[in-house]
Amino acid sequence: MLETLFNILKVSVAVAIGAVFLLAINAIVSLITTLIFGNVIGEVLVIISDCLPFDALAVFGAIGTAITSILAFLVAKKIFDLTSWTVSSI
Amino acid sequence: MKNKLFIILPVLLSLFSVSQVSALKHEYTQIPMYVPMQRTGNSSADSFEYPLKMTWTAENYANIDQPAKQYRFLSRYNSSTQQCELLPTTNYVSPYNQDNSLVWSIGNVWIRNSSLQFSNRQECNFLVPFGDSLDSTLFPNWSSVPEFNSLSITNSSQVSTFIKENLLSLLPYSHAYDHIPLNPTGGDSQSSGLKMSTLYTDSATSGSINYPDKFIELIVPFGYFDESIGGSLTQGRELEFTGQFNFPTSDFSFAPNFLSSGTFKLQYYYMNGQTSTTINGLRGNVDCSGQLTYLSNQSVFSFSCPLTIPSSSFTGGSLYVALELLRSSSDDYIWDSGASDWSLTNLYTITDNDSTAGRPFNPECSGSNCDDAPNNPNNDNLPSNEDWFSQLTNLFNFSVINPFAPLYSMFTHGSQCSQIPIIAGMLNAPDSTYCPWFPSSVRDILTPVFSIASMMVLFGFFVRWLGSDEGSGLIEKSDTNIKVKGGKK
């Protein structure tokens, strides 16, 4: 019972840390993209997007969200693994 | 492999997160143009139309005051005659048409974005061949102004003059006034728009203005808005047109009289631009409310016109609206006093009170049973669609940083034109906008399709990698041992 509670607590902490990383990654990406694309490069991309039959900005945004989520998941999983016991059987 | 993934993913993330550039996108700007028509004879108030209609974007407008720069709002150049021409066609092209073609139809000409560059051509005739094509059955009381039947312009400076004097003087939009002040004068028989004078005169009352039908003092075209607002013009959709006039205090002598005694209506009509060459005849008007405010150096008249789409036939076309000021004929003198320096501000404010937007999200209120929800006692207890939609969106509506914002941007109406200030500055067109080539109906469908497909591919590879031997699978296998993670020792 105690072990189950401990695991639940551990998962909760991992999820919370993952969420924090999600926000942090998102903020960093926002900063990077602002620096990189907040100029003529961004405007060129906007023009390119307007030439396509779909909103490329929205599509890339969705891809970025997916990658951010994956990164956050990996971080959370790494933390979970680091705090787990490993049993090896020969 | 895991370490590589930690490197690759951020790089991809940086490259692909162009969505943050969305801050560069601004509101859609479009300027409808109206060429005045001379009205002949007296008729009822519901018969006026706009015989010639031109639209272009702020990009074109930004060049108006600079003749040396490019004018790019005519669309066809006749190489055989080496002339710029507005060619009459029989097909009306809706706002969805992006082929940059100039279109002439019954009473309407749409000039889409740009393919000609006036200033670089020394010989370029600007022909406005309307008049012959006017359908007398649709416009029984109108004839074209003779001066516009065939106008020949031979150099760019004349183009500039023509635009400024004959077209831009009719602009009703505030940003136009920032650059080109209008000086409306009373008694002008061939002006419309903000010239604030009558559209016609009665020859029988020479020297004075006659208002036999006491209407049409100001025409404020809003242009089509199905690209500006988005969505379909479904029956019952509620829109509200608001705006205001600004005029100097020197005009107090007549303005309060006019504005307080006049009534205001929003005239609208519908065009099925995609399939028909005629005006469908779905037209009418709604009453507007107005309020006059006195300030120190000017007065402001604010108006509001609620419009509910009256017919389910408003689909696939465009809705045109114009503000009419109705006034009494006893106020004729007011225009003779010289209404000067009138301007319009915020005249393109359209509030979409669309209560149908959230309907698909309300399981208890689907289909047509919600169309008459306000009047149906059986639906009184249902949450409004707007509330329902708001509750759903508020789930992830973080105030600071919303990592899920790109997911929502997939489903937003993305047809608005984008401002490109840096590139526009390089091209000496600071107010330029760039509009999507494809219609919003196509983009609105393909955007979530590609977005979701891309995310599925990414997550698919990730899950596959998780379960692979290389990945940090939940269960890692090898020939010699089995590691169980999360187990006890």
PDB file of all heavy atoms in Angstrom, chain A residues 52-65:
ATOM      1  N   LEU A  52       0.587  29.051 -49.716  1.00  0.00           N
ATOM      2  CA  LEU A  52       0.207  27.648 -49.608  1.00  0.00           C
ATOM      3  C   LEU A  52      -1.285  27.519 -49.368  1.00  0.00           C
ATOM      4  O   LEU A  52      -1.918  28.434 -48.845  1.00  0.00           O
ATOM      5  CB  LEU A  52       0.982  26.993 -48.453  1.00  0.00           C
ATOM      6  CG  LEU A  52       2.508  27.004 -48.595  1.00  0.00           C
ATOM      7  CD1 LEU A  52       3.154  26.465 -47.326  1.00  0.00           C
ATOM      8  CD2 LEU A  52       2.927  26.188 -49.792  1.00  0.00           C
ATOM      9  N   PRO A  53      -1.837  26.388 -49.727  1.00  0.00           N
ATOM     10  CA  PRO A  53      -3.278  26.201 -49.512  1.00  0.00           C
ATOM     11  C   PRO A  53      -3.628  25.858 -48.065  1.00  0.00           C
ATOM     12  O   PRO A  53      -4.720  25.390 -47.795  1.00  0.00           O
ATOM     13  CB  PRO A  53      -3.608  25.039 -50.448  1.00  0.00           C
ATOM     14  CG  PRO A  53      -2.347  24.284 -50.553  1.00  0.00           C
ATOM     15  CD  PRO A  53      -1.231  25.291 -50.492  1.00  0.00           C
ATOM     16  N   PHE A  54      -2.699  26.032 -47.176  1.00  0.00           N
ATOM     17  CA  PHE A  54      -2.988  25.827 -45.760  1.00  0.00           C
ATOM     18  C   PHE A  54      -2.147  26.824 -44.977  1.00  0.00           C
ATOM     19  O   PHE A  54      -1.199  27.421 -45.510  1.00  0.00           O
ATOM     20  CB  PHE A  54      -2.661  24.395 -45.315  1.00  0.00           C
ATOM     21  CG  PHE A  54      -1.248  23.975 -45.581  1.00  0.00           C
ATOM     22  CD1 PHE A  54      -0.248  24.181 -44.626  1.00  0.00           C
ATOM     23  CD2 PHE A  54      -0.905  23.377 -46.769  1.00  0.00           C
ATOM     24  CE1 PHE A  54       1.060  23.810 -44.868  1.00  0.00           C
ATOM     25  CE2 PHE A  54       0.409  22.998 -47.023  1.00  0.00           C
ATOM     26  CZ  PHE A  54       1.384  23.216 -46.071  1.00  0.00           C
ATOM     27  N   ASP A  55      -2.489  26.969 -43.728  1.00  0.00           N
ATOM     28  CA  ASP A  55      -1.774  27.917 -42.887  1.00  0.00           C
ATOM     29  C   ASP A  55      -0.535  27.225 -42.331  1.00  0.00           C
ATOM     30  O   ASP A  55      -0.615  26.476 -41.352  1.00  0.00           O
ATOM     31  CB  ASP A  55      -2.688  28.397 -41.763  1.00  0.00           C
ATOM     32  CG  ASP A  55      -2.056  29.557 -40.990  1.00  0.00           C
ATOM     33  OD1 ASP A  55      -0.875  29.851 -41.246  1.00  0.00           O
ATOM     34  OD2 ASP A  55      -2.744  30.139 -40.139  1.00  0.00           O
ATOM     35  N   ALA A  56       0.590  27.479 -42.975  1.00  0.00           N
ATOM     36  CA  ALA A  56       1.814  26.794 -42.566  1.00  0.00           C
ATOM     37  C   ALA A  56       2.216  27.166 -41.151  1.00  0.00           C
ATOM     38  O   ALA A  56       2.787  26.341 -40.424  1.00  0.00           O
ATOM     39  CB  ALA A  56       2.947  27.135 -43.532  1.00  0.00           C
ATOM     40  N   LEU A  57       1.881  28.349 -40.749  1.00  0.00           N
ATOM     41  CA  LEU A  57       2.235  28.754 -39.389  1.00  0.00           C
ATOM     42  C   LEU A  57       1.505  27.887 -38.372  1.00  0.00           C
ATOM     43  O   LEU A  57       2.071  27.471 -37.363  1.00  0.00           O
ATOM     44  CB  LEU A  57       1.889  30.221 -39.184  1.00  0.00           C
ATOM     45  CG  LEU A  57       2.490  31.204 -40.196  1.00  0.00           C
ATOM     46  CD1 LEU A  57       2.097  32.618 -39.859  1.00  0.00           C
ATOM     47  CD2 LEU A  57       3.993  31.060 -40.224  1.00  0.00           C
ATOM     48  N   ALA A  58       0.256  27.625 -38.642  1.00  0.00           N
ATOM     49  CA  ALA A  58      -0.510  26.788 -37.725  1.00  0.00           C
ATOM     50  C   ALA A  58      -0.011  25.349 -37.744  1.00  0.00           C
ATOM     51  O   ALA A  58       0.069  24.687 -36.700  1.00  0.00           O
ATOM     52  CB  ALA A  58      -1.994  26.851 -38.085  1.00  0.00           C
ATOM     53  N   VAL A  59       0.342  24.869 -38.941  1.00  0.00           N
ATOM     54  CA  VAL A  59       0.839  23.497 -39.043  1.00  0.00           C
ATOM     55  C   VAL A  59       2.156  23.349 -38.290  1.00  0.00           C
ATOM     56  O   VAL A  59       2.349  22.413 -37.505  1.00  0.00           O
ATOM     57  CB  VAL A  59       1.007  23.108 -40.523  1.00  0.00           C
ATOM     58  CG1 VAL A  59       1.680  21.753 -40.644  1.00  0.00           C
ATOM     59  CG2 VAL A  59      -0.336  23.085 -41.223  1.00  0.00           C
ATOM     60  N   PHE A  60       3.065  24.276 -38.515  1.00  0.00           N
ATOM     61  CA  PHE A  60       4.337  24.212 -37.811  1.00  0.00           C
ATOM     62  C   PHE A  60       4.137  24.405 -36.313  1.00  0.00           C
ATOM     63  O   PHE A  60       4.866  23.833 -35.503  1.00  0.00           O
ATOM     64  CB  PHE A  60       5.297  25.261 -38.357  1.00  0.00           C
ATOM     65  CG  PHE A  60       5.800  24.929 -39.727  1.00  0.00           C
ATOM     66  CD1 PHE A  60       6.017  25.933 -40.653  1.00  0.00           C
ATOM     67  CD2 PHE A  60       6.049  23.629 -40.100  1.00  0.00           C
ATOM     68  CE1 PHE A  60       6.483  25.641 -41.925  1.00  0.00           C
ATOM     69  CE2 PHE A  60       6.510  23.323 -41.365  1.00  0.00           C
ATOM     70  CZ  PHE A  60       6.726  24.326 -42.285  1.00  0.00           C
ATOM     71  N   GLY A  61       3.173  25.198 -35.969  1.00  0.00           N
ATOM     72  CA  GLY A  61       2.874  25.357 -34.553  1.00  0.00           C
ATOM     73  C   GLY A  61       2.404  24.054 -33.923  1.00  0.00           C
ATOM     74  O   GLY A  61       2.796  23.719 -32.807  1.00  0.00           O
ATOM     75  N   ALA A  62       1.588  23.318 -34.647  1.00  0.00           N
ATOM     76  CA  ALA A  62       1.128  22.029 -34.149  1.00  0.00           C
ATOM     77  C   ALA A  62       2.292  21.054 -34.029  1.00  0.00           C
ATOM     78  O   ALA A  62       2.403  20.297 -33.052  1.00  0.00           O
ATOM     79  CB  ALA A  62       0.055  21.474 -35.079  1.00  0.00           C
ATOM     80  N   ILE A  63       3.171  21.076 -35.030  1.00  0.00           N
ATOM     81  CA  ILE A  63       4.351  20.205 -34.969  1.00  0.00           C
ATOM     82  C   ILE A  63       5.214  20.598 -33.776  1.00  0.00           C
ATOM     83  O   ILE A  63       5.721  19.739 -33.030  1.00  0.00           O
ATOM     84  CB  ILE A  63       5.151  20.306 -36.286  1.00  0.00           C
ATOM     85  CG1 ILE A  63       4.332  19.732 -37.434  1.00  0.00           C
ATOM     86  CG2 ILE A  63       6.475  19.583 -36.162  1.00  0.00           C
ATOM     87  CD1 ILE A  63       4.973  19.924 -38.798  1.00  0.00           C
ATOM     88  N   GLY A  64       5.389  21.872 -33.589  1.00  0.00           N
ATOM     89  CA  GLY A  64       6.172  22.324 -32.442  1.00  0.00           C
ATOM     90  C   GLY A  64       5.562  21.912 -31.122  1.00  0.00           C
ATOM     91  O   GLY A  64       6.268  21.529 -30.186  1.00  0.00           O
ATOM     92  N   THR A  65       4.247  21.982 -31.057  1.00  0.00           N
ATOM     93  CA  THR A  65       3.578  21.533 -29.831  1.00  0.00           C
ATOM     94  C   THR A  65       3.813  20.052 -29.581  1.00  0.00           C
ATOM     95  O   THR A  65       4.042  19.617 -28.448  1.00  0.00           O
ATOM     96  CB  THR A  65       2.078  21.833 -29.934  1.00  0.00           C
ATOM     97  OG1 THR A  65       1.903  23.221 -30.185  1.00  0.00           O
ATOM     98  CG2 THR A  65       1.368  21.451 -28.658  1.00  0.00           C
TER      99      THR A  65
END
